[in-house]
Amino acid sequence: MRPMKLFDLSVKGVVLRFYLMMAVVALGGFFGQFVLATILGMTVAVSFILGIRIEPAPTKRVARSSTLTPHEKDQRMAA
């Protein structure tokens, strides 16, 4: 699950989400989907009011040995 942080959104992010909300509501109203426009617009509005920032999922790194011992090389060649 990706970690979310509340009240950690930049001003640029708030402004962009505001315009996204306005676009969603305007397009929904234009197509006559008032309930859908309300639900999606309210979701985006709550996300920028609370300043929710979703961080990318942390990547898991696997430690790998780049050098093989002669014994390991022989085992791989035999397999």
Side-chain angles (χ1 to χ4, degrees):
M1 186 173 187
R2 295 182 180 195
M4 294 187 330
K5 290 188 176 182
L6 292 177
F7 308 112
D8 196 33
L9 191 61
S10 66
V11 174
K12 178 183 174 183
V14 171
V15 171
L16 287 175
R17 286 191 192 178
F18 174 77
Y19 283 119
L20 175 66
M21 179 203 60
M22 293 304 291
V24 165
V25 171
L27 284 173
F30 178 76
F31 290 115
Q33 301 295 323
F34 300 113
V35 174
L36 184 63
T38 303
I39 292 171
L40 292 177
M42 193 65 178
T43 304
V44 175
V46 168
S47 78
F48 79 76
I49 290 170
L50 291 178
I52 297 174
R53 185 172 64 116
I54 300 173
E55 296 178 349
T59 57
K60 295 181 182 178
R61 294 194 171 220
V62 178
R64 293 182 59 181
S65 174
S66 61
T67 58
L68 296 175
T69 63
H71 180 67
E72 291 172 334
K73 287 181 183 178
D74 291 339
Q75 286 180 345
R76 286 198 181 182
M77 294 293 272

